[in-house]
């Protein structure tokens, strides 16, 4: 990172690529509602482009960094006062993320339509 | 209208789908139909209670397949569902949060409204629906709650409640003392042992007006258990050794008599002659029996449900959520948090006209 916050020296960035912008956006909205319980931890969610989208190779040079549909990476920035607090917070995040991914995998509209008997 | 309900405030994870027939049929209020009601219980080893972290882990592991199973069992597709209801509180923090994340994700992916439901109101509304009780005094007894509730001007008012631990918590912790199995539930196992009890021991009787207290009783009966294990506890009249069955019997008789007393006091105050028992401890046949005797003496009757609905379940959340949703209530995504403390009387009961 550009600089280290002196009050929160332990930091971590987690980039999670997802297949579509819809899934990434849903995951962000589902996860960001709950605040971090501890004041010793700060967390930021955002969506970002994949490396492919920002390059010229996929032919979107004219659109600069690309459209919203290409925002498919869920980026989570964590910073904490100690490594222990960072570990606790990130573990909790990973567990919630597991639920989110599980719902995406098996309970999305198109998945259910495929698996349910006609 | 069809609602999907998700419940996970304690060690039971429940998913239910409920159908309210089309409300455009004017005043003909047909009863609700239960399309599916699935539950999975986290069972901890004997002598141990369930901890929030382990319970949340259990809920996360099972929530997806339970929703899938509920949809399949109900024969319902995503398009048929109108809203997704979840337990907003009260309950344990981590289990509540693990379920609400799933509810939010479903709401976003399916494009359905989200409805946050109070756990206690869920029990009350499901109890009313199943039993047909119109305006009863409600005794809500479980591992986390002990309240005497009556409806008045758009609120479920708490007339009396425990001042410390819930009666179910008292029973569960005593089960830990005796190292009784937690499967299917410690309260159920205490009930079975109590049926074979023969001697009644003196335990503190801690009714305080409309309220009651259970921590002193638990401490005293734990002390008795310690004496019993050393073989020093005898019945005062016959001199026979006291057994675990006797302790379970004595504990039940004492705490249930307290519940009967505060419920009767509320009935007299409110002028009702109906009692509705909801919550996990409401499964107990002895408490139903004792309450039945009291209600009959007062010219009324007792309503109770069986373990499909007494114990925490998803269908009660779906039902209460759908009642609120049909009156225009829904929870915005930004407000779809959960809270460990959510008082019963904080809920505006919009769906009742009386």
């Amino acid at each position: 990172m550009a600089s280290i916050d002196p009050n929160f020296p332990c930091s971590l960035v987690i980039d999670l690529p997802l297949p579509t912008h819809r899934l990434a956006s849903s995951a962000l909205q589902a996860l960001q509602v709950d605040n971090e319980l501890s004041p010793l931890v700060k967390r930021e969610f955002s969506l970002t482009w994949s490396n492919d989208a920002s390059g010229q190779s996929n032919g979107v040079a004219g659109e600069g960094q690309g459209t919203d549909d290409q925002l498919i990476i869920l980026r989570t920035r964590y910073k904490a006062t100690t490594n222990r607090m960072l570990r606790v917070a990130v573990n909790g995040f990973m567990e919630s993320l597991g639920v989110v991914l599980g719902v995406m995998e098996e309970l999305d509209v198109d998945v259910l339509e495929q698996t349910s008997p006609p | 209208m069809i609602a999907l309900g998700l419940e996970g405030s304690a060690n039971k994870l429940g998913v239910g789908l409920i159908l309210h027939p089309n409300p455009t049929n004017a005043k003909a209020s047909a009863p609700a139909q239960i399309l599916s009601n699935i539950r999975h219980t986290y069972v901890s080893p004997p002598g141990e209670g369930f901890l929030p972290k382990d319970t949340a882990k259990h809920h996360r592991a099972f929530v997806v397949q339970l929703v899938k199973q509920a949809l399949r069992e109900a024969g319902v597709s995503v398009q048929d569902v109108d809203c997704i209801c979840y337990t907003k509180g009260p309950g344990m923090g981590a289990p509540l949060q693990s379920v609400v994340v799933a509810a939010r994700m479903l709401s976003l992916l399916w494009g359905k409204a989200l409805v946050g439901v109070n756990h206690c109101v869920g029990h009350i509304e499901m109890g009313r629906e199943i039993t047909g009780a119109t305006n009863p005094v409600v005794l809500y007894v479980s591992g986390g709650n002990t309240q005497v509730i009556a409806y008045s001007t758009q609120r479920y008012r708490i007339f009396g409640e425990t001042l410390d631990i819930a009666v179910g918590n008292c029973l569960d912790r005593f089960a830990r003392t005796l190292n009784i199995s937690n499967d299917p539930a410690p309260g159920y196992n205490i009930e079975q042992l109590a049926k074979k009890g023969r001697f009644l021991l003196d335990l503190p009787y801690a009714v305080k007006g409309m309220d009651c207290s259970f921590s002193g009783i638990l401490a005293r009966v734990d002390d008795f258990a310690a004496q019993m294990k050393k073989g020093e506890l005898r019945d005062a009249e016959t001199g026979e050794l006291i057994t675990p069955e006797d302790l379970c019997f004595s504990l039940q008789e004492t705490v249930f008599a307290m519940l009967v007393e505060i419920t009767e006091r509320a009935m007299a105050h409110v002028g009702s002659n109906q009692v509705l028992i909801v919550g996990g401890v409401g499964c107990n046949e002895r408490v139903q029996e004792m309450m039945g005797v009291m209600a009959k003496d007062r010219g009324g009757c007792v309503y109770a449900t069986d373990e499909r609905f007494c114990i925490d379940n998803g269908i009660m959340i779906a039902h209460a959520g759908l009642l609120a949703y049909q009156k225009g209530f829904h929870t915005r995504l930004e407000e779809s948090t959960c809270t460990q403390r959510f008082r019963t009387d904080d809920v505006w009961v919009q769906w009742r006209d009386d």
Side-chain angles (χ1 to χ4, degrees), chain A residues 22-23 25-27 29-31 33-34 92 95-96 99-100 102-104 106-109 112-113 115, chain B residues 60 63-64 67-68 71 78-79 97-98 100-102 104-106 108-110 333-338:
Chain A
R22 170 175 167 272
L23 293 176
S25 172
S26 297
Q29 292 179 78
L31 289 166
V33 177
D34 295 317
E95 286 172 352
S96 294
V99 176
V100 166
V103 173
M104 280 179 190
E106 300 201 38
L107 295 174
D108 204 348
V109 180
L112 287 171
E113 279 168 2
T115 56
Chain B
R60 290 186 192 109
V63 64
V64 167
V67 171
K68 215 169 169 184
L71 289 168
V78 169
Q79 286 74 31
Q97 199 260 344
S98 60
V100 74
V101 169
R104 278 188 218 125
M105 203 57 197
L106 288 174
L108 287 158
L109 292 184
W110 296 2
L333 188 71
E334 300 78 26
E335 294 160 5
S336 64
T337 55
C338 47

